[in-house]
Amino acid sequence: QSEIPGSPIFVMKMASHARHLEVQLLADQHGDAIALSGRDCSVQRRHQKIIEEGPAVAARPEVFKKMEQAAVSLAKTVGYANAGTVEYLFLEETEEFAFLELNPRLQVEHPVTENILQLNLPACQLMVAMGIPLHRIGDIRKMYGRHPRGRDTIDYAFAERVSYPHHCIAVRVTAENPEAGFQPT
């Protein structure tokens, strides 16, 4: 709950039955930001994500929508412009979530989002870096049922997205040496 002044010891509430959920973001230099999709990266070993699943199904859709809205709000508040990932600790029993961090880059698990939405996230990131507004990026336009080469703006707060029936699970293969205390090889 709070740090003990002058001490490296602090007290925290135990988070049992917690999940590590993420929201993939894309934000442009013109003030627009959108949540693309979510991932569940709860299976980890030695601080490395071993299994990434998307979309995240641990949280009810209404709760995950709030996570997405919080991620978009964060991006807009700080003037973020890039692809990025907002990570949350999600408590299953209470359906509460807490901000962990914003990773200002594509993460190794970004292909999960690409497979769900059928888009090229590095290409979208490059277009954002070139100053192209989100509403002019073909893959983003298709997510909102628009012609990929159209020029009309999109009000992301109210626009309906196309439903994507895809699901993706990515698994990382790791190697450890049992004779060296299971250190990575």
Side-chain angles (χ1 to χ4, degrees):
Q1 295 283 346
S2 62
E3 184 178 341
I4 299 170
S7 172
I9 300 171
F10 57 93
V11 179
M12 297 177 70
K13 179 180 176 183
M14 184 172 131
S16 59
H17 304 289
R19 310 288 296 189
H20 179 122
L21 303 184
E22 302 181 344
V23 174
Q24 180 73 61
L25 283 177
L26 190 62
D28 66 19
Q29 299 170 19
H30 308 279
D32 277 325
I34 58 173
L36 297 174
S37 185
R39 299 183 291 260
D40 186 336
C41 301
S42 299
V43 179
Q44 300 185 20
R45 175 148 169 81
R46 298 185 185 272
H47 308 290
Q48 292 292 316
K49 297 167 186 166
I50 302 298
I51 299 174
E52 298 109 10
E53 179 182 10
V57 295
R60 290 183 302 118
E62 309 82 59
V63 176
F64 199 80
K65 184 73 173 170
K66 290 179 183 176
M67 296 169 104
E68 290 178 325
Q69 290 168 341
V72 167
S73 178
L74 171 65
K76 288 183 172 189
T77 299
V78 301
Y80 187 75
N82 194 358
T85 303
V86 176
E87 299 187 7
Y88 295 105
L89 184 67
F90 174 69
L91 303 175
E92 290 182 292
E93 291 177 3
T94 62
E95 295 189 321
E96 295 173 297
F97 58 93
F99 173 79
L100 292 174
E101 67 179 327
L102 167 61
N103 285 308
R105 58 183 161 70
L106 284 181
Q107 292 184 274
V108 70
E109 59 270 16
H110 79 270
V112 171
T113 299
E114 289 183 309
N115 280 291
I116 294 166
L117 299 176
Q118 304 296 295
L119 59 79
N120 183 335
L121 202 43
C124 292
Q125 182 182 34
L126 182 60
M127 287 183 247
V128 163
M130 293 169 53
I132 298 172
L134 292 180
H135 71 271
R136 294 294 310 276
I137 298 174
D139 280 350
I140 302 305
R141 293 185 61 77
K142 288 189 281 186
M143 287 175 48
Y144 291 89
R146 309 291 175 91
H147 189 279
R149 293 197 179 123
R151 295 179 173 268
D152 59 309
T153 60
I154 301 171
D155 185 347
Y156 299 106
F158 299 103
E160 291 290 322
R161 286 185 40 177
V162 172
S163 176
Y164 287 88
H166 303 110
H167 199 89
C168 182
I169 297 175
V171 179
R172 185 171 302 160
V173 177
T174 63
E176 298 176 351
N177 184 350
E179 294 175 3
F182 292 94
Q183 291 297 312
T185 58

